[in-house]
Amino acid sequence: MSTSSTAGKVIKCKAAVLWEPKKPFSIEEIEVAPPKAKEVRIKIVATGVCRSDDHVVSGQLATPFPVILGHEAAGIVESIGEGVTTVKPGDKVIPLFTPQCGKCEVCRHPESNFCMKNDLILPRGSMQDGSIRFTCRGKPIHHFISTSTFSEYTVVDEISVAKIDPAAPLEKVCLIGCGFSTGYGSAVQVAKVTKGSTCAVFGLGGVGLCVIMGCKAAGAARIIGVDINKDKFAKAKEVGATECINPQDFKKPIHEVLTEMTGGGVDFSFEVIGRHDTMISALSCCHGAYGVSVIIGVPPGATNLEMNPMLLLTGRTWKGAIFGGYKSKDAVPKLVADFMAKKFQLDSIITHVLPFEKINEGFDLLRSGKSIRTILTF
Ligand code: COD
Ligand code: ZN
Ligand code: ZN
């Protein structure tokens, strides 16, 4: 095992610190403590800009401040703590915002993936042992969903990192850390799209495009994209949509349009927007007796949704999942292998690549709708 000259020492490096909500990121010099037992210190090479990071900036997603955000990344292991067996220094890795401890009831369940050790639902903003590895200007800085990848170096628990193919291009496969897997897995793993089926995808942003790729890979015969922005249609067709519709072009509610277009309803529908009305439309447009509808979008705030139970009583299934339902540590290396085997591509969703220092520009591109995915490189 190779040992780096920095192993066991505090590393001073660059990071984007978010001191408080609704403020720009501040590029700072921080100190990153060495990994403790069962922890891994990673040199981040590339990290994507995801909507959920922006939800923290805007105050819609609560997590302790000050904080280092970022959760969609790839890097190289710099050093490991005592007892780490699944990665070693020099390995290429992807941090996992949904861990896989392998021991909890969720990890032991064959069909579920939302490990009990996640730091998403009741975020502590720390390592599993409750302590913190980052300081800046003498202050402790919190972690974010077990990853904190907007930093040249980060420390994660061994259950929150997966080793990947050493030949993988990190500036692309970083998307397997969130956006790609969330969308693609929702089609192949959560909905279990079948060969020859008809699918409807509501919302043609980066994640929606990955849902389309998943539907296509699963052999869907018809994939209908739904978006109020017709500029999104070309790319959706490029990745596999067979037709695209804009709800604003119709007088009838869009679920009725889809039901007519498909002679009774689609087999699988996906809500990839994060709105109550489109969640109901997506559910309603799937076949009343056997349609499956998957919620991927998170609506703003912890709000309730009204629905008519008859929609389910006739036989529809309504589902949702985090990270495309994938057991993260098992699935990520396989998804990278599938990417290397050219089973899917990631270029269509990468619209911008910026140096890490331009992180605020990356978020402006996201907020203005000009980017699909921006990758920040160190
Ligand atoms: N009808 C149809 N389309 C609409 C409507 C509408 N009423 N409103 C907006 N849209 C379209 C927009 O034009 C846009 O094209 C698309 O919906 C949304 O795309 P983006 O680019 O804003 O978003 P994505 O694809 O990057 O992400 C969408 C999510 C819903 C996945 C995201 O916002 C979200 O909720 N993420 C959290 C989900 C999750 O699993 N998080 C865990 C860690 S990230
Ligand atoms: Zn994300
Ligand atoms: Zn677990």
Side-chain angles (χ1 to χ4, degrees):
M1 180 164 50
S2 65
T3 311
S4 68
S5 60
T6 45
K9 297 178 190 154
V10 170
I11 293 180
K12 283 189 185 211
C13 69
K14 244 178 337 197
V17 176
L18 191 66
W19 292 101
E20 47 186 314
K22 300 191 172 96
K23 288 280 158 64
F25 292 92
S26 171
I27 303 285
E28 306 269 3
E29 185 181 78
I30 64 158
E31 295 85 37
V32 184
K36 293 191 182 173
K38 294 275 181 192
E39 295 176 1
V40 178
R41 190 159 60 181
I42 305 167
K43 184 177 190 347
I44 299 294
V45 173
T47 180
V49 171
C50 176
R51 187 76 51 185
S52 302
D53 299 307
D54 194 45
H55 282 347
V56 178
V57 181
S58 68
Q60 281 180 43
L61 183 63
T63 198
F65 277 83
V67 61
I68 296 175
L69 299 179
H71 62 280
E72 181 181 77
I76 296 167
V77 174
E78 174 269 339
S79 63
I80 55 176
E82 225 183 282
V84 170
T85 58
T86 58
V87 299
K88 59 181 189 309
D91 282 350
K92 283 190 179 176
V93 290
I94 290 182
L96 309 168
F97 73 84
T98 299
Q100 186 185 348
C101 78
K103 292 180 182 152
C104 73
E105 66 256 42
V106 176
C107 285
R108 288 199 323 264
H109 189 284
E111 292 290 324
S112 65
N113 76 320
F114 196 48
C115 173
M116 305 291 285
K117 297 278 188 187
N118 77 79
D119 198 35
L120 236 161
I121 296 302
L122 293 168
R124 296 181 301 166
S126 69
M127 303 297 296
Q128 290 293 338
D129 74 358
S131 64
I132 279 171
R133 303 287 167 270
F134 303 122
T135 53
C136 178
R137 303 192 211 183
K139 295 195 185 76
I141 309 293
H142 286 94
H143 297 248
F144 176 57
I145 48 175
S146 320
T147 46
S148 289
T149 61
F150 291 161
S151 176
E152 258 180 290
Y153 287 87
T154 191
V155 182
V156 302
D157 293 282
E158 188 180 10
I159 60 171
S160 299
V161 61
K163 179 181 170 169
I164 60 165
D165 184 339
L170 300 182
E171 72 290 351
K172 291 182 184 172
V173 299
C174 57
L175 293 179
I176 293 172
C178 179
F180 172 77
S181 308
T182 298
Y184 195 84
S186 296
V188 304
Q189 173 77 20
V190 183
K192 297 189 165 58
V193 168
T194 49
K195 213 168 168 19
S197 62
T198 297
C199 303
V201 181
F202 286 68
L204 304 176
V207 181
L209 295 176
C210 296
V211 173
I212 294 177
M213 289 187 215
C215 293
K216 187 180 171 184
R222 224 176 145 187
I223 305 168
I224 309 169
V226 182
D227 202 296
I228 49 173
N229 180 354
K230 65 171 175 16
D231 295 344
K232 305 277 177 165
F233 294 175
K235 202 129 225 185
K237 287 181 180 161
E238 187 187 310
V239 300
T242 54
E243 58 222 282
C244 288
I245 56 173
N246 180 347
Q248 294 167 340
D249 290 344
F250 301 89
K251 286 208 182 71
K252 280 186 191 168
I254 199 65
H255 72 269
E256 285 180 24
V257 174
L258 283 158
T259 305
E260 278 171 22
M261 277 172 77
T262 56
V266 302
D267 298 293
F268 302 97
S269 66
F270 302 87
E271 202 278 354
V272 209
I273 304 166
R275 292 175 55 96
H276 288 172
D277 59 344
T278 44
M279 287 174 187
I280 297 294
S281 300
L283 177 64
S284 308
C285 82
C286 76
H287 196 284
Y290 51 74
V292 175
S293 188
V294 180
I295 293 180
I296 301 162
V298 176
T303 47
N304 292 332
L305 164 62
E306 250 183 52
M307 60 89 67
N308 181 342
M310 279 312 291
L311 285 171
L312 298 181
L313 282 166
T314 58
R316 290 182 181 86
T317 303
W318 211 6
K319 315 180 78 169
I322 297 279
F323 199 58
Y326 287 121
K327 287 187 186 289
S328 60
K329 199 156 167 144
D330 292 343
V332 163
K334 291 182 192 151
L335 287 167
V336 171
D338 286 350
F339 171 78
M340 297 303 282
K342 298 197 163 52
K343 293 193 182 157
F344 59 85
Q345 49 88 21
L346 294 165
D347 289 336
S348 313
I349 51 175
I350 303 173
T351 51
H352 298 76
V353 180
L354 293 175
F356 177 66
E357 290 74 10
K358 294 196 173 169
I359 183 167
N360 287 308
E361 207 174 296
F363 277 82
D364 287 342
L365 286 163
L366 173 86
R367 291 169 194 141
S368 65
K370 288 190 186 119
S371 59
I372 295 177
R373 265 308 201 253
T374 297
I375 308 296
L376 305 170
T377 54
F378 287 90

